[in-house]
């Protein structure tokens, strides 16, 4: 089914949407993005994604082309025009089309390119994988040093995902200086007893919107949250592990580099956090 997509203020059938070959997103990966989930036709944690979008743009000296209210209206229009019940809205803002290729940024008043599209995923929150959990392998984290900016330069995460696929598993955890940073497109956690351990925020990882909400809910549910780095060996010996992201929510991890965690099944902490997260976020959806 052909989608209606959004490009620079226009809603168009996907086959008619066009972006210049000189667009800096295309030539330089000079752009940022957000992915917001839709459940029951409503946006999950929309405000959080808007705040991070503004931060990513600011870090790259790009002007935010819309207010939060305008972004919300665009998201809602796309949901309605594409009849999305469950799925995702992808949004990308690039530094625009300067009409030629040049390393230097174009003038700040060049209009950015805004592209948005939907991905329909019926039953997104009922993924069977949540019942069985993910298996992951580790790969070295050789990404650039500003992973806190959600840029569209995703080649290495794609390579890591392909390494995972070739190994017959679901994802890769990235390792730097002996410690896990995060997954290819998610934040990583281990559980020991009632304690949830996840790497502290820095430019080494993306500041997950789901991470912020899940840690808040964990504390409210009397769990202990410790923000510190952990090694792969520590993860393999943990009671449980899981990842979070806007589209996978809370997903148990049951195997790391071929070693089963605990009983090799999703653990109770990840299951509980997934349930709380989905319940609370559905209630707060806009
Ligand atoms: N870490 C990376 C590298 C990501 O790409 C993502 C999401 O795309 C996340 C973490 C999770 O962030 P969020 O919970 O905001 O989706």
């Amino acid at each position: 089914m052909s989608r209606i997509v959004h490009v620079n203020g226009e809603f168009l059938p996907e086959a008619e949407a066009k972006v210049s070959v000189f667009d800096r997103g295309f030539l330089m990966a000079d752009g940022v993005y957000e992915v917001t989930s839709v459940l029951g036709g409503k946006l999950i944690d929309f405000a959080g994604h808007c705040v991070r979008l503004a931060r990513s743009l600011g870090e790259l000296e790009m002007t935010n082309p819309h207010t939060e209210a305008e972004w919300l209206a665009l998201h809602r229009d796309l949901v309605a025009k594409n009849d999305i019940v469950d799925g995702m809205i992808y949004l990308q803002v690039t530094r625009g089309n300067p009409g030629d290729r040049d390393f230097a940024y174009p003038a700040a008043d060049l209009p950015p390119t805004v592209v948005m599209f939907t991905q329909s995923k019926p039953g997104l929150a009922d993924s069977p994988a949540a019942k069985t959990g993910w298996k992951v392998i580790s790969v070295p984290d050789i990404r650039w040093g500003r992973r806190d900016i959600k840029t569209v330069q995703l080649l290495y995460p794609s390579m890591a995902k392909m390494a995972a696929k070739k190994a017959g598993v679901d994802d890769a955890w990235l390792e730097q200086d002996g410690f896990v940073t995060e997954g290819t497109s998610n934040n990583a956690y281990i559980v020991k007893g009632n304690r949830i351990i996840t790497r502290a925020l820095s430019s080494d990882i993306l500041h997950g919107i789901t991470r912020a909400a899940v840690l808040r809910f964990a504390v409210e549910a009397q769990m202990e949250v410790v923000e510190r780095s952990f090694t792969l060996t520590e993860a393999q010996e943990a009671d449980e592990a899981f990842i979070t992201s806007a589209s996978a929510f809370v997903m148990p991890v049951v195997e790391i580099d071929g070693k089963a965690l605990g009983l090799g099944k999703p653990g109770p902490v990840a299951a509980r956090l997934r349930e709380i997260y989905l319940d609370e976020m559905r209630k707060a959806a806009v």
Side-chain angles (χ1 to χ4, degrees):
M1 200 191 83
S2 172
R3 286 170 280 197
I4 300 293
V5 303
H6 173 93
V7 183
N8 295 330
E10 277 189 288
F11 288 96
L12 301 158
E14 62 182 53
E16 291 170 29
K18 290 187 178 59
V19 174
S20 166
V21 295
F22 298 115
D23 195 275
R24 285 185 60 95
F26 179 60
L27 294 180
M28 307 274 187
D30 187 357
V32 302
Y33 75 108
E34 282 296 328
V35 178
T36 304
S37 273
V38 178
L39 291 178
K42 289 187 166 182
L43 300 158
I44 300 297
D45 214 343
F46 175 77
H49 289 283
C50 247
V51 169
R52 184 173 61 192
L53 173 66
R55 179 177 182 277
S56 294
L57 290 167
E59 291 297 308
L60 295 178
E61 299 170 41
M62 285 166 67
T63 309
N64 192 337
H66 294 297
T67 63
E68 182 170 334
E70 288 166 354
W71 282 123
L72 180 58
L74 289 171
H75 278 72
R76 284 181 166 159
D77 278 355
L78 264 191
V79 169
K81 285 181 199 302
N82 292 282
D83 289 325
I84 301 296
V85 178
D86 296 335
M88 281 101 80
I89 308 283
Y90 177 87
L91 133 66
Q92 174 168 321
V93 183
T94 78
R95 206 180 298 275
N97 162 28
D100 203 350
R101 182 174 180 273
D102 190 349
F103 276 75
Y105 292 172
D109 61 355
L110 184 77
T113 302
V114 177
V115 167
M116 296 170 69
F117 58 81
T118 54
Q119 292 181 293
S120 176
K121 305 267 180 195
L124 180 64
D126 307 314
S127 159
K131 298 265 183 303
T132 51
W134 280 6
K135 296 177 178 175
V136 303
I137 54 165
S138 62
V139 297
D141 194 343
I142 59 165
R143 297 172 300 164
W144 78 324
R146 289 304 308 274
R147 302 157 191 163
D148 55 314
I149 309 174
K150 197 166 166 68
T151 77
V152 297
Q153 44 167 331
L154 296 174
L155 185 54
Y156 189 66
S158 291
M159 290 167 73
K161 193 74 176 179
M162 287 313 294
K165 276 192 129 182
K166 283 180 194 152
V169 300
D170 302 285
D171 199 26
W173 276 14
L174 310 176
E175 187 194 30
Q176 172 179 285
D177 300 330
F179 294 97
V180 174
T181 50
E182 55 190 334
T184 58
S185 58
N186 48 68
N187 291 115
Y189 309 73
I190 58 172
V191 180
K192 288 179 166 188
N194 192 38
R195 181 179 301 165
I196 294 158
I197 301 162
T198 194
R199 196 177 176 103
L201 295 182
S202 72
S203 53
D204 290 341
I205 62 168
L206 186 75
H207 302 186
I209 300 306
T210 320
R211 176 189 184 281
V214 164
L215 293 187
R216 199 173 65 239
F217 295 140
V219 170
E220 284 169 15
Q222 314 297 324
M223 298 174 191
E224 189 188 343
V225 170
V226 181
E227 294 183 66
R228 67 155 172 89
S229 300
F230 57 85
T231 65
L232 277 167
T233 309
E234 192 181 4
Q236 287 175 315
E237 287 164 2
D239 298 333
E240 293 182 37
F242 63 92
I243 61 93
T244 64
S245 76
S247 52
F249 312 117
V250 177
M251 182 62 69
V253 168
V254 294
E255 185 188 293
I256 302 172
D257 282 339
K259 166 108 172 40
L261 273 81
L263 300 172
K265 293 191 300 194
V269 172
R272 179 140 180 254
L273 283 173
R274 182 179 173 91
E275 195 183 312
I276 298 174
Y277 177 82
L278 284 168
D279 281 356
E280 294 298 323
M281 296 321 257
R282 278 183 198 275
K283 277 191 241 161
V286 295

